[in-house]
Amino acid sequence: MTRLAIVRQKYNPAGGAERFVSRALSALSQDGALEVSLIARKWEKVAGIHALTVDPFYLGNVWRDWGFARAARRAWLREGYDLVQSHERIPGCSIYRAGDGVHAAWLEHRRRALSGFKRLSLAINPYHRYVCRAERAMFVDAALKLVICNAHLVKREIQRHFGLPDEKFAVVYNGVDTDAFHPRLKIEHRAAMRRQWKIPEAAPTLLYVGSGFERKGVERALRAIAPLAGVHLVVVGRDKHAVRYQRLAEALGVASRVRFAGAQNEVKPFYGMADAFVLPTLYDPFPNVCVEALASGLPLFTSDSCGASELVRPGENGWVVDALDVEDLTAAIQVWLARESQWPALAEAARATAEPLTLSAMARQLTELYRRFL
């Protein structure tokens, strides 16, 4: 039996990174091929997985990440695990799951959206400098055998920055529950949700879901719909600066067409009320919300710096624009509006795109990868 350790500072079974591997690990554990342990600072109980708490004292985010990395590596060396899969940037792991993308690439995208002074502040920020050093040390470490990416975008970025060969990569898209996220959500929820949120039944409605409004493009979505009379936008998610975006909607004259719904425990009814999904994110390796939207039959408006753009066939199941090009996003939405008679076909194409990306298919792919090392 192979002993595998999974490393994650804060392990939440409902989190995107954790859901990504849970099914494969469960299958391998059940057939006796794998004994799974968890190394984490904080964790929620996971059936069948032994947890090892590593929680060194820290002050500040640099010390936090450095201290955890140092303590986690000591723990896995002491325990003598056969394989170590890290979700954190820690040199010496066997497998790295690059769910957060490449920090060096994120900084490149971030600089595009900043003024000169803020660019300088970004460059000298000690946390970013630490993460970039840790990232490079991990990718060039001889112990690293496999990098699991959730998009080809991430693979290309790692190769561009660190030069790893193709054989060290596997690309596995995030899976989605295609039964829970389904076009029938429109039948179940559209009328009631539109009454609840006071959106006319026939009004073209875009949905945004996510936290981190600045990075994920809420401002750009607001500006994009401003010249499009009658288009509504529903924003689902929490952000500490939400009031700033509400004021922007008022300044743009679109407040009557925008609903800020805040964080929601159940998002499926919102997919059911919408006609399309918008996420003009500055950088996102592969957001789960995009495949949830496609599975729900919503065409997708996103950016070319989003891994989910790899699923988009422009004009068939969505549109892809530059993250900072608001005019291009407006133009894409205008094209969609002009093709209202074809919306059922767009919805069918969106659903068909997501149908192969089931959770069981993702688990099978991961299981095959793990068996290579068992």
Side-chain angles (χ1 to χ4, degrees):
M1 179 180 291
T2 300
R3 298 176 67 228
L4 168 69
I6 295 180
V7 182
R8 182 75 167 171
Q9 275 210 67
K10 294 182 180 179
Y11 191 95
N12 171 14
E18 293 83 351
R19 290 202 310 263
F20 186 83
V21 297
S22 60
R23 287 200 168 200
L25 296 178
S26 175
L28 289 167
S29 298
Q30 288 171 10
D31 69 15
L34 198 64
E35 178 186 297
V36 183
S37 296
L38 171 66
I39 299 175
R41 188 187 291 276
K42 295 182 180 179
W43 51 279
E44 295 181 23
K45 189 172 182 179
V46 186
I49 295 181
H50 169 69
L52 198 64
T53 301
V54 171
D55 189 16
F57 174 78
Y58 67 89
L59 293 171
N61 50 10
V62 174
W63 190 350
R64 178 198 64 201
D65 286 9
W66 173 82
F68 176 79
R70 186 166 175 263
R73 182 164 180 168
R74 282 181 174 176
W76 82 56
L77 291 173
R78 182 182 66 245
E79 296 292 328
Y81 293 108
D82 301 302
L83 289 173
V84 176
Q85 174 178 304
S86 181
H87 295 248
E88 311 289 348
R89 299 170 176 91
I90 305 177
C93 60
S94 326
I95 302 170
Y96 176 61
R97 199 263 172 171
D100 297 327
V102 179
H103 198 74
W106 152 241
L107 292 176
E108 289 178 349
H109 290 291
R110 181 76 179 119
R111 280 192 288 269
R112 292 181 58 212
L114 295 178
S115 62
F117 176 76
K118 290 184 177 180
R119 286 184 184 180
L120 176 62
S121 177
L122 194 74
I124 64 176
N125 184 300
Y127 180 70
H128 295 312
R129 294 165 71 90
Y130 164 77
V131 174
C132 287
R133 286 197 303 271
E135 193 170 58
R136 175 166 292 280
M138 179 190 65
F139 281 124
V140 301
D141 195 298
L144 185 65
K145 297 178 173 63
L146 177 68
V147 180
I148 303 175
C149 302
N150 50 8
H152 291 276
L153 167 75
V154 179
K155 175 187 174 182
R156 290 193 301 270
E157 288 172 340
I158 294 172
Q159 289 187 310
R160 177 166 63 88
H161 285 276
F162 309 108
L164 271 65
D166 283 343
E167 56 267 25
K168 280 204 170 185
F169 289 93
V171 176
V172 181
Y173 288 138
N174 293 2
V176 62
D177 186 338
T178 51
D179 290 328
F181 295 93
H182 192 279
R184 66 172 170 267
L185 292 174
K186 181 172 289 189
I187 299 170
E188 296 171 359
H189 298 291
R190 182 183 176 94
M193 286 291 287
R194 289 196 172 219
R195 283 195 301 271
Q196 177 182 340
W197 291 94
K198 296 180 173 56
I199 296 176
E201 173 63 27
T205 301
L206 300 171
L207 174 67
Y208 162 97
V209 178
S211 57
F213 289 1
E214 181 181 8
R215 174 168 66 91
K216 297 188 178 182
V218 170
E219 178 179 343
R220 296 183 287 279
L222 291 170
R223 293 188 183 280
I225 69 163
L228 304 176
V231 174
H232 284 61
L233 173 66
V234 178
V235 177
V236 176
R238 179 184 289 111
D239 190 283
K240 62 183 179 181
H241 301 299
V243 172
R244 177 192 303 169
Y245 295 91
Q246 293 169 9
R247 289 173 179 165
L248 176 63
E250 293 172 0
L252 293 170
V254 298
S256 64
R257 296 190 277 125
V258 178
R259 305 291 182 267
F260 288 92
Q264 297 287 328
N265 292 327
E266 181 56 81
V267 296
K268 290 193 288 293
F270 289 90
Y271 289 111
M273 78 185 296
D275 298 303
F277 190 84
V278 61
L279 192 78
T281 180
L282 189 59
Y283 180 66
D284 232 319
F286 197 94
N288 288 319
V289 292
C290 288
V291 280
E292 291 173 354
L294 290 168
S296 302
L298 301 182
L300 175 63
F301 293 92
T302 193
S303 66
D304 55 10
S305 47
C306 174
S309 66
E310 297 170 16
L311 302 178
V312 176
R313 300 183 302 279
E316 293 183 35
N317 63 352
W319 282 263
V320 178
V321 301
D322 182 279
L324 299 181
D325 195 334
V326 173
E327 291 183 1
D328 204 16
L329 179 57
T330 298
I333 297 171
Q334 285 176 316
V335 171
W336 170 68
L337 291 170
R339 294 175 54 186
E340 186 172 358
S341 63
Q342 299 172 35
W343 285 7
L346 286 166
E348 288 180 11
R351 171 65 186 182
T353 302
E355 281 180 341
L357 302 177
T358 63
L359 293 172
S360 57
M362 180 187 73
R364 284 195 300 272
Q365 288 178 276
L366 288 170
T367 302
E368 297 277 326
L369 288 174
Y370 290 130
R371 288 193 190 282
R372 285 168 42 187
F373 295 95
L374 301 184

